Amino acid sequence: MTSTTEQFADLSATTLLRFATAGSVDDGKSTLVGRLLHDSKSVLTDQMEAVEAVSAQRGQDAPDLALLTDGLRAEREQGITIDVAYRYFATARRRFILADTPGHVQYTRNMVTGASTADLAVVLVDARNGVIEQTRRHAAVAALLRVPHVVLAVNKMDLVGYQESVFAAIAEEFTAYASDLGVPEITAIPISALAGDNVVDVSANMDWYGGPTVLEHLETVPVSHDLTACPARFPVQYVIRPQTAEHPDYRGYAGQIASGVLRVGEAVTVLPSGRTSVIEGIDALGESVDIAWAPQSVTVRLKDDIDISRGDLIAPSASAPATTQDVEATVCHVADQPLAVGARVLLKHTTRTVKAIVKEIPSRLTLDDLSQHPNPGQLVANDIGRVVVRTAEPLALDAYADSRRTGSFLLIDPADGTTLAAGMAGESFASTAETTVQADEEGWDF
Amino acid sequence: MTTVAHLHEETDAPYALSHLDALESEAVHIFREVAGEFEKPVILFSGGKDSIVMLHLALKAFAPAPVPFTLLHVDTGHNFPEVLEYRDRTVEKHGLRLHVASVQDYIDAGKLRERPDGTRNPLQTVPLTEAIQSLKFDAVFGGGRRDEEKARAKERVFSLRDEFSQWDPRRQRPELWQLYNGRHAPGEHVRVFPLSNWTELDVWQYISREGIELPEIYFAHEREVFQRNGMWLTAGEWGGAKEGETPETRLIRYRTVGDMSCTGAVDSDAATLDAVIAEIAVSRLTERGATRADDKMSEAAMEDRKREGYF
């Protein structure tokens, strides 16, 4: 109990890293996640006892660490992972939120889901098989979603005699491929999730490797601050008007700063109306501040009493985005029902939901070889393609390349509310010169 | 872009958020999304620490305006008196409106039958789902956290429930970025979990940072308890020690607050927030593993109850 104060201080000081895992069925992803949780002492006694009991009941020699992560009845029965699960663990240095994505069932949409909020993705490869189609697919999704850091974990090194040459060849091939797709940072680590090499503890079997273990890398990789390096974007979520005796005239615009920094005194433009004003005050959850930044939830007050409602965007007048009704984007189709040209949909962008129509589907991408198929007519589950969508009202949309938050959107089926597709506005490696459609008169900002 | 780069040189560090600030900001965003998109949301409020933190976040999210939601408590009839007292005091203090769905009323009316083991926790599902339907709530905030249980680890932040309040893990909507899809047909509703990404320790650290008051039973005190199925239970109107179960006075505290008949106390001398945080930081048992009998009923107990509409 003497370390109480220190421990508390340590825990308070930590930052949060969100990361996602991706791997094919037998690459040992569940074992890696189990190992990471187990060796970082994040598995508690009662959880471990449950795993030991089930493993023994099934006649297995050692506790099956994969059982730590398979939570649903059907998953345990079938020994597969059905859906993305989120796991939490902490070390003295950092807190982690892990999006544990399944390897084989409906792989693309699940990995897109996990990667959409991740600062880092761990792509798992079986050292015996090297870079396979699935690996390329994972690299492509990480690139498409613009996950800032990618870790290539070359697993099962114990089954290739811990040979440096095997690791080096895989690392080189993957790095070349992922770099071509625009993945900004790649770290390759040789591991054995089963034996515990280089996951949490440094491997005694691979003297030739001088880099970090998986956990050490997760603990030290810089958490992306690019949100604040972009122009400020403040989607209005809700208008706060108490109309009470104490606050008869208070009118604040509540929201979470999507990117950049807001300052009191700054000249701002409200979109899509284009009206301008000046930030009079910023209330950061009860405290009045001069400056606030992404991703803080705040309430902004303006000097002028102008008409602003949910769905509007407040941005610095000096760097306000253009508005458009013609959205060109790369989408990942996540629903079982197809998305066809001519479909009437809802488009949800930040806090704004508008009617929209799918004008064109210029191309569909095959992730395995990155080949483009022009005018497929429709997209089905797990397809990635380019779409051109016309919206009923103008949107202040950024390029996804500039802001994951204000460049992303959902397409929703108005009939039953199903989320149809995840959209990323603007150019990506999935757009090609041949399939790019003519820009409309409105023009794009990127 | 040059101005922004300059800004960074000037102030450097302040652009990072601590993990608690990041979680708080995310939860507030979720509350405001619901306020902006739903007609009649309600917060499930039991007087337990997670729902207390939820209410605190809601108060901050809409200040200086009042919280635009009512509260709903499913009272099993076996709740801790200290917690009910806390619940009523809190509702009064913030000028809120509380709906109570009572398991006892359902039993008295013959619509629910007492279980042989006397546990009323599983009986909560019916009054809960009927209250949601009859009062026409379209968004129901719950304090569930994904770190609690492996079925909950699969839960979305916005979780669509059908007209029978059922959860189907295979048919969940993918949840991408911070774009929550709350669309639902009439009769359906959405369960919303603003604390999804919080851990038990985060909750306690946040309570400490914000100076939030809690019911006293969360802190170490002497209490007469008896042991059943490896748990220390408090006798009450719900029942008490049976033959062979001997009451004894122990220094204990509660790690979770639920129905008295199924919530176990833990041996503890942690009488302050700092002591509780220190205790949890080194605990080798999960919150529910240590204190909840109902989760031990089967390997998929939580999943099965969630499918039926439990929170």
Side-chain angles (χ1 to χ4, degrees):
Chain A
M1 287 296 167
T2 45
S3 63
T4 304
T5 336
E6 274 170 42
Q7 222 165 18
F8 184 31
D10 272 345
L11 291 169
S12 321
T14 54
T15 50
L16 196 59
L17 180 82
R18 292 177 192 242
F19 73 106
T21 55
S24 324
V25 190
D26 294 319
D27 285 348
K29 192 181 61 62
S30 293
T31 312
L32 172 66
V33 172
R35 176 63 64 189
L36 209 48
L37 297 174
H38 180 263
D39 289 5
S40 65
K41 312 220 166 10
S42 307
V43 179
L44 301 183
T45 311
D46 53 323
Q47 293 170 317
M48 201 58 211
E49 279 169 0
V51 166
E52 282 163 0
V54 175
S55 303
Q57 205 178 316
R58 292 182 182 174
Q60 288 163 319
D61 299 335
D64 181 357
L65 293 179
L67 288 172
L68 285 169
T69 59
D70 287 338
L72 301 172
R73 218 176 243 290
E75 290 176 330
R76 284 191 301 274
E77 282 162 9
Q78 299 168 40
I80 56 157
T81 313
I82 290 173
D83 205 342
V84 183
Y86 293 86
R87 326 237 161 242
Y88 305 82
F89 65 102
T91 64
R93 285 175 172 175
R94 192 170 259 178
R95 296 281 171 114
F96 300 97
I97 299 179
L98 159 60
D100 184 12
T101 69
H104 70 330
V105 190
Q106 300 145 352
Y107 40 79
T108 308
R109 65 177 165 201
N110 282 316
M111 195 189 157
V112 167
T113 300
S116 71
T117 51
D119 300 309
L120 179 147
V122 179
V123 175
L124 213 66
V125 167
D126 185 327
R128 294 170 303 176
N129 304 330
V131 174
I132 55 171
E133 265 180 31
Q134 184 89 320
T135 318
R136 281 191 282 272
R137 211 175 276 146
H138 291 145
V141 172
L144 202 60
L145 273 287
R146 294 183 188 266
V147 179
H149 308 274
V150 170
V151 172
L152 173 73
V154 181
N155 191 25
K156 307 197 183 180
M157 287 299 292
D158 51 322
L159 300 182
V160 295
Y162 295 108
Q163 289 176 73
E164 181 176 10
S165 56
V166 174
F167 169 73
I170 296 171
E172 195 185 315
E173 186 184 351
F174 181 85
T175 305
Y177 181 80
S179 303
D180 280 352
L181 293 174
V183 173
E185 196 198 273
I186 300 147
T187 304
I189 305 175
I191 66 166
S192 166
L194 195 67
D197 294 286
N198 288 337
V199 177
V200 171
D201 302 315
V202 176
S203 170
N205 300 311
M206 290 178 276
D207 296 343
W208 45 266
Y209 174 73
T213 64
V214 174
L215 184 66
E216 195 183 338
H217 183 67
L218 294 174
E219 283 181 316
T220 53
V221 72
V223 173
S224 165
H225 291 170
D226 65 344
L227 283 178
T228 54
C230 308
R233 298 285 183 262
F234 186 70
V236 175
Q237 273 190 290
Y238 192 78
V239 182
I240 294 181
R241 285 175 61 221
Q243 295 176 293
T244 54
E246 208 185 330
H247 302 280
D249 302 319
Y250 186 99
R251 188 183 177 88
Y253 306 103
Q256 186 173 27
I257 303 174
S259 62
V261 178
L262 289 179
R263 290 166 174 279
V264 170
E266 195 164 24
V268 292
T269 299
V270 181
L271 296 167
S273 73
R275 291 187 187 90
T276 58
S277 186
V278 170
I279 297 179
E280 185 179 66
I282 302 173
D283 299 325
L285 304 182
E287 190 190 349
S288 185
V289 294
D290 294 331
I291 180 169
W293 58 91
Q296 286 184 302
S297 280
V298 297
T299 305
V300 169
R301 288 174 285 116
L302 300 182
K303 279 223 164 76
D304 307 281
D305 206 3
I306 51 182
D307 177 20
I308 301 176
S309 55
R310 175 173 169 84
D312 288 345
L313 182 95
I314 297 175
S317 300
S319 54
T323 59
T324 182
Q325 285 179 254
D326 295 286
V327 179
E328 195 187 338
T330 302
V331 300
C332 174
H333 193 70
V334 296
D336 291 330
Q337 63 242 53
L339 180 76
V341 172
R344 291 182 182 276
V345 294
L346 295 170
L347 186 153
K348 180 163 188 176
H349 169 247
T350 67
T351 56
R352 193 174 186 84
T353 304
V354 299
K355 287 184 180 172
I357 184 163
V358 179
K359 301 292 275 187
E360 275 185 74
I361 301 179
S363 65
R364 181 171 57 81
L365 179 76
T366 300
L367 273 180
D368 308 340
D369 59 2
L370 302 184
S371 63
Q372 305 265 0
H373 298 259
N375 302 309
Q378 65 170 25
L379 297 176
V380 299
N382 297 308
D383 277 353
I384 285 174
R386 295 288 292 171
V387 298
V388 180
V389 174
R390 173 84 182 171
T391 59
E393 296 164 44
L395 294 177
L397 194 77
D398 286 296
Y400 187 77
D402 293 334
S403 165
R404 288 168 95 182
R405 192 118 187 195
T406 52
S408 59
F409 61 86
L410 302 180
L411 296 182
I412 296 169
D413 186 335
D416 62 5
T418 303
T419 298
L420 297 170
M424 291 153 277
E427 299 299 317
S428 75
F429 68 78
S431 16
T432 62
E434 304 89 77
T435 53
T436 303
V437 292
Q438 294 294 309
D440 262 310
E441 68 281 356
E442 292 258 13
W444 274 101
D445 197 27
F446 37 78
Chain B
M1 288 306 226
T2 44
T3 31
V4 177
H6 177 64
L7 244 170
H8 266 285
E9 281 162 34
E10 237 174 47
T11 39
D12 205 62
Y15 294 105
L17 289 190
S18 75
H19 83 277
L20 284 183
D21 283 329
L23 292 171
E24 179 187 59
S25 178
E26 179 182 70
V28 164
H29 175 252
I30 293 162
F31 277 110
R32 288 165 167 179
E33 280 299 282
V34 171
E37 296 218 324
F38 290 82
E39 296 291 322
K40 202 176 174 192
V42 69
I43 300 177
L44 291 176
F45 186 78
S46 64
K49 67 181 188 314
D50 299 306
S51 59
I52 290 169
V53 165
M54 270 209 297
L55 180 59
H56 181 85
L57 287 161
L59 287 162
K60 288 185 92 167
F62 300 98
V67 174
F69 314 125
T70 53
L71 306 182
L72 171 64
H73 184 213
V74 183
D75 187 340
T76 65
H78 291 165
N79 290 98
F80 290 92
E82 300 92 327
V83 176
L84 292 181
E85 185 273 327
Y86 178 97
R87 177 195 78 182
D88 294 338
R89 191 155 41 84
T90 304
V91 167
E92 173 88 30
K93 181 175 154 193
H94 300 295
L96 297 162
R97 198 162 152 227
L98 172 77
H99 305 276
V100 178
S102 158
V103 172
Q104 187 64 54
D105 288 353
Y106 274 74
I107 292 171
D108 293 346
K111 289 199 270 182
L112 280 178
R113 196 183 305 166
E114 197 91 71
R115 294 160 52 97
D117 62 5
T119 291
R120 286 188 173 179
N121 215 37
L123 300 183
Q124 291 182 84
T125 303
V126 172
L128 170 70
T129 56
E130 287 196 12
I132 292 169
Q133 296 299 332
S134 64
L135 296 164
K136 297 192 167 27
F137 295 122
D138 56 357
V140 181
F141 288 105
R145 309 187 318 262
R146 291 178 181 141
D147 81 321
E148 284 179 87
E149 212 274 341
K150 48 194 174 177
R152 280 208 170 149
K154 302 263 168 182
E155 179 72 270
R156 299 290 184 264
V157 174
F158 273 41
S159 179
L160 184 66
R161 302 299 172 102
D162 67 14
E163 61 199 304
F164 302 100
S165 293
Q166 295 178 116
W167 181 63
D168 184 350
R170 280 174 183 273
R171 296 194 50 197
Q172 300 190 93
R173 289 174 180 160
E175 204 155 69
L176 300 124
W177 298 288
Q178 284 79 16
L179 291 168
Y180 302 111
N181 177 0
R183 304 213 36 115
H184 59 281
E188 295 177 342
H189 72 278
V190 176
R191 297 279 170 92
V192 183
F193 301 100
L195 305 184
S196 284
N197 288 324
W198 297 49
T199 63
E200 183 187 16
L201 195 57
D202 295 329
V203 168
W204 279 103
Q205 286 187 284
Y206 187 73
I207 287 167
S208 168
R209 184 184 92 170
E210 300 285 302
I212 301 169
E213 191 205 334
L214 291 182
E216 298 122 45
I217 67 170
Y218 278 114
F219 301 98
H221 57 286
E222 290 211 324
R223 181 184 283 263
E224 191 175 88
V225 289
F226 65 93
Q227 196 159 43
R228 181 178 296 168
N229 300 328
M231 289 194 316
W232 294 112
L233 299 180
T234 301
E237 280 182 37
W238 67 273
K242 294 177 194 160
E243 221 181 291
E245 297 170 338
T246 324
E248 54 181 292
T249 302
R250 300 183 72 91
L251 187 61
I252 55 98
R253 67 176 200 88
Y254 282 88
R255 203 163 147 184
T256 67
V257 162
D259 189 279
M260 286 177 87
S261 65
C262 67
T263 307
V266 293
D267 287 315
S268 170
D269 60 359
T272 64
L273 278 171
D274 278 356
V276 168
I277 289 167
E279 183 185 284
I280 290 167
V282 299
S283 170
R284 299 307 302 155
L285 288 178
T286 64
E287 179 179 337
R288 300 194 79 90
T291 64
R292 289 299 179 100
D294 42 340
D295 289 343
K296 295 179 177 170
M297 286 175 188
S298 86
E299 211 197 333
M302 172 73 90
E303 178 185 346
D304 294 343
R305 274 180 294 137
K306 278 169 61 64
R307 279 175 179 275
E308 286 166 19
Y310 188 77
F311 35 90

